[in-house]
Amino acid sequence: MEKSERIAGGIWGAIVGDALGVPVEFTSREERQRDPVTGMRGYGTHNQPPGTWSDNSSLLLCTVEALTGEYSPAHLAELFLAWKEQGYMTSHGSVFDIGIATSAAIMRIKQGVAPEEAGGAGERDNGNGSLMRILPVALCYANAPVEEMLGIAHRVSSLTHRHPRSQMACGLYCLMAKALLEGKAPQEAYQYMIEQGQQYYIVAPFDNEHRHFARLFSGNIAEVPEAEIATSGYVVHTLEASIWSLLNSSSYEETVLKAVNLGDDTDTTGCVAGGLAGVYCGMDGIPAEWLGVIEGKEWLEEIMGVFAEI
């Protein structure tokens, strides 16, 4: 598979996974078991039409734009501010969902705080708001030295989530995506993530964060019972649930439906899992009927075409 097909698959896979989860965000796992998501539906939680994507994809697309040229945190910050205040990179021209930490960080940027100092750095600032948009870093810097890719991931995370745990989660996700982009199977990519993560995250401030990633580093996350996989907005939960969904599936479709039907933060889990599955399966692995109803598909294709060739 051509690298460009995997890159496009990753970005589209994230957007489609996000859109699948938007109508059922905040619903319980029990509700999803009674009424599982099996395809693109609309309205529900946010009263949005089918194919609507959320803040996850908007901020991911802002990151795509910022990385298409030479990366500048100031440029990315400008794009985030334009999204929040003007509806830039949104499905329908307005923002209908935004995380507390992300909103606070963008407000600090507006008040003049340096972009890479704007993200919260406290223990309670470890939501999944930077993980959901970090995939373009892996796709853009996959051929760079691992240290460089991780360094960029940490910097990009810091605009909204500056705690070492959030940065580390973003780095681990990028390692997994990098391996999938190179053609490794999901289990191989998972092992690569563990090996590289344990090698590069042995220094402060990340050395104190390993215990939070113990289940991932065990090498057995796929064997954890579904009942023990959490899907709150906590960054570690989202990373675990996304990798668990990928490792326990055999297709893009199965991965994202498994992720969304875990309930709770369905759009973000769908987005993060969908990005990984899209990189692995490529564009051809994403159901055409789902792609066909994504809002703004035509102009999104233009954005994707440029980024996939970088």
Side-chain angles (χ1 to χ4, degrees), residues 196-251:
Q196 296 294 308
Q198 290 179 331
Q199 176 181 341
Y200 284 95
Y201 288 117
I202 59 174
V203 298
F206 304 107
D207 53 338
N208 291 325
E209 297 297 327
H210 276 244
R211 60 190 175 90
H212 298 286
F213 298 93
R215 289 209 303 188
L216 278 172
F217 281 147
S218 73
N220 299 314
I221 191 66
E223 299 169 19
V224 176
E226 179 183 301
E228 296 177 19
I229 295 295
T231 49
S232 72
Y234 177 41
V235 68
V236 177
H237 288 169
T238 304
L239 183 60
E240 287 185 344
S242 300
I243 293 175
W244 180 89
S245 296
L246 178 69
L247 294 177
N248 283 295
S249 302
S250 58
S251 66

Side-chain angles (χ1 to χ4, degrees), residues 3 20 27 61 79 93 154 162 236 263:
K3 179 182 175 184
L20 284 167
T27 60
L61 289 165
L79 295 174
H154 302 159
R162 198 158 43 96
V236 177

Side-chain angles (χ1 to χ4, degrees), residues 28-281:
S28 69
R29 190 166 304 176
E30 291 71 28
E31 289 177 88
R32 299 280 56 79
Q33 289 170 345
R34 292 193 300 270
D35 177 27
V37 174
T38 58
M40 201 67 71
R41 58 170 80 175
Y43 305 101
T45 303
H46 296 286
N47 197 33
Q48 299 292 321
T52 300
W53 30 277
S54 74
D55 57 330
N56 301 287
S57 298
S58 291
L59 294 178
L60 182 146
L61 289 165
C62 287
T63 307
V64 164
E65 180 174 331
L67 292 174
T68 300
E70 184 176 351
Y71 175 63
S72 162
H75 182 209
L76 184 57
E78 290 172 358
L79 295 174
F80 285 0
L81 189 60
W83 163 72
K84 184 175 184 292
E85 297 194 337
Q86 301 164 28
Y88 185 64
M89 288 290 190
T90 59
S91 295
H92 306 290
S94 62
V95 175
F96 63 85
D97 192 19
I98 183 170
I100 296 172
T102 296
S103 180
I106 294 174
M107 182 59 66
R108 286 191 284 270
I109 288 170
K110 184 177 182 179
Q111 293 169 345
V113 175
E116 291 180 0
E117 298 294 321
E123 173 72 24
R124 298 183 63 83
D125 294 315
N126 282 307
N128 53 24
S130 61
L131 179 66
M132 69 190 193
R133 59 178 172 81
I134 207 66
L135 178 62
V137 173
L139 303 180
C140 185
Y141 287 87
N143 293 329
V146 170
E147 284 182 283
E148 181 180 351
M149 181 187 73
L150 295 179
I152 294 292
H154 302 159
R155 292 176 61 194
V156 170
S157 174
S158 292
L159 269 71
T160 57
H161 294 72
R162 198 158 43 96
H163 192 281
R165 194 173 313 152
S166 290
Q167 293 183 24
M168 185 171 169
C170 287
L172 292 173
Y173 183 80
C174 285
L175 288 168
M176 184 106 180
K178 168 184 165 66
L180 292 168
L181 184 62
E182 293 170 352
K184 289 182 172 62
Q187 186 62 42
E188 292 179 286
Y190 175 46
Q191 292 301 323
Y192 175 84
M193 181 202 78
I194 293 170
E195 293 164 7
Q196 296 294 308
Q198 290 179 331
Q199 176 181 341
Y200 284 95
Y201 288 117
I202 59 174
V203 298
F206 304 107
D207 53 338
N208 291 325
E209 297 297 327
H210 276 244
R211 60 190 175 90
H212 298 286
F213 298 93
R215 289 209 303 188
L216 278 172
F217 281 147
S218 73
N220 299 314
I221 191 66
E223 299 169 19
V224 176
E226 179 183 301
E228 296 177 19
I229 295 295
T231 49
S232 72
Y234 177 41
V235 68
V236 177
H237 288 169
T238 304
L239 183 60
E240 287 185 344
S242 300
I243 293 175
W244 180 89
S245 296
L246 178 69
L247 294 177
N248 283 295
S249 302
S250 58
S251 66
Y252 172 84
E253 182 175 354
E254 185 180 3
T255 299
V256 291
L257 292 179
K258 192 180 293 291
V260 167
N261 285 316
L262 290 172
D264 203 358
D265 199 0
T266 52
D267 58 338
T268 305
T269 309
C271 178
V272 177
L276 293 178
V279 173
Y280 177 58
C281 299

